[in-house]
Amino acid sequence: MTILDRIKAYKLDEIAADKAARPLSDIEADARAAPPVRPFAAALHKAVQKGYGLIAEIKKASPSKGLIREDFDVPALARAYEAGGATCLSVLTDTPSFQGAKDYLTQAHRAVKLPCLRKDFMYDPYQVAEARALGADCILVIMASVSDAQAAELEAAATEWGMDALIEVHDAAELERACALKSGLIGINNRNLNTFITDLETTRQLVRHVPEGRHIVSESGLNTPADLAEMARYGVRSFLIGESLMRQPDVTAATRALLANPAMGLQ
């Protein structure tokens, strides 16, 4: 089994247990009582008009790298990213592989005014309602791990709750499937979720095939201003970055430095 296969297996068990513990009607009631949705995609669109759009990730660990940050105060990290100029937040809520927690999303959302993405492996509309209940403004749909029907179902559920959906792809086949969906946000993950190997060439190759009108987010393997400038050469100005910032002692300063000199007009 690949890493993604193992994650999917335990995630489906986790969803079943959650449904048994709390019915969907209870989750939906919490979702209706949640704070209003913050515009996630719109925030990125606005940011790239004069700089970069940064989805800054709150991430404690990963399957490939293990523990990334020991000093892990979610509200403090959220505020540090906001002070550093991040456009949106991504919050890991998966526990077994990433040492995340559902409550981390709520903590982050309450600490700042930035739109928040629930970063998890989504398979069921139950999780989408749960994301809204936790304070999410956007969900992630990973094409490598879902069927076309599941992807459409998750996207429709997000729309029903007023949220955006970031559709993540890693190869041409996944991109073609993603473009059949309605979402304007396409995430190109430079990390292969089966091997966890990262290569920025993934964005360089796939961006050529993304239809006009879609907003591209390059994900994984982005560490320096030079990396961002390189992606900007290919017309990509929004990024999801976690590990390289999470490893810095001063997250605000690191975020500010990463965004300080956006490359403009290169595409």
Side-chain angles (χ1 to χ4, degrees), residues 24-40:
L24 178 60
S25 58
D26 286 3
I27 299 296
E28 289 177 336
D30 288 349
R32 286 190 290 271
V37 176
R38 298 169 184 170
F40 191 95

Side-chain angles (χ1 to χ4, degrees), residues 231-252:
M231 294 297 98
R233 290 183 59 228
Y234 291 83
V236 180
R237 306 192 58 78
S238 287
F239 312 97
L240 192 154
I241 301 175
E243 183 183 335
S244 62
L245 294 172
M246 282 285 94
R247 292 189 182 279
Q248 302 304 313
D250 188 332
V251 172
T252 295

Side-chain angles (χ1 to χ4, degrees), residues 86-133:
T87 310
C88 303
L89 296 182
S90 168
V91 184
L92 265 298
T93 58
D94 174 79
T95 302
S97 296
F98 293 88
Q99 296 185 35
K102 294 173 184 178
D103 186 54
Y104 288 171
L105 178 55
T106 305
Q107 290 180 42
H109 196 269
R110 288 175 177 169
V112 297
K113 296 180 179 179
L114 302 180
C116 295
L117 166 75
R118 180 184 184 181
K119 184 77 173 291
D120 211 319
F121 299 84
M122 311 290 278
Y123 299 100
D124 193 292
Y126 181 97
Q127 295 171 284
V128 182
E130 184 181 57
R132 182 79 281 269

Side-chain angles (χ1 to χ4, degrees), residues 73-266:
D73 181 329
V74 172
L77 290 169
R79 288 190 289 266
Y81 274 143
E82 185 175 49
T87 310
C88 303
L89 296 182
S90 168
V91 184
L92 265 298
T93 58
D94 174 79
T95 302
S97 296
F98 293 88
Q99 296 185 35
K102 294 173 184 178
D103 186 54
Y104 288 171
L105 178 55
T106 305
Q107 290 180 42
H109 196 269
R110 288 175 177 169
V112 297
K113 296 180 179 179
L114 302 180
C116 295
L117 166 75
R118 180 184 184 181
K119 184 77 173 291
D120 211 319
F121 299 84
M122 311 290 278
Y123 299 100
D124 193 292
Y126 181 97
Q127 295 171 284
V128 182
E130 184 181 57
R132 182 79 281 269
L134 294 168
D137 307 294
C138 185
I139 64 161
L140 183 70
V141 178
I142 303 172
M143 296 305 293
S145 198
V146 296
S147 67
D148 290 345
Q150 283 176 308
E153 185 179 42
L154 292 168
E155 182 186 55
T159 301
E160 182 180 338
W161 288 107
M163 294 187 290
D164 291 311
L166 175 61
I167 313 299
E168 181 178 290
V169 305
H170 178 72
D171 59 30
E174 290 171 11
L175 176 59
E176 185 175 355
R177 294 169 56 216
C179 289
L181 298 169
K182 298 174 183 177
S183 177
L185 289 178
I186 300 291
I188 299 178
N189 195 345
N190 299 304
R191 176 173 288 115
N192 184 318
L193 290 180
N194 289 313
T195 64
F196 270 64
I197 294 172
T198 301
D199 186 354
L200 296 185
E201 186 64 19
T202 305
T203 292
R204 295 188 191 98
Q205 291 298 323
L206 292 186
V207 70
R208 305 171 185 176
H209 306 291
V210 178
E212 278 193 38
R214 306 289 176 120
H215 189 108
I216 304 168
V217 179
S218 186
E219 309 170 10
S220 304
L222 300 157
N223 302 303
T224 67
D227 290 336
L228 273 54
E230 171 66 8
M231 294 297 98
R233 290 183 59 228
Y234 291 83
V236 180
R237 306 192 58 78
S238 287
F239 312 97
L240 192 154
I241 301 175
E243 183 183 335
S244 62
L245 294 172
M246 282 285 94
R247 292 189 182 279
Q248 302 304 313
D250 188 332
V251 172
T252 295
T255 305
R256 192 175 288 136
L258 188 67
L259 298 173
N261 296 294
M264 301 296 289
L266 295 176

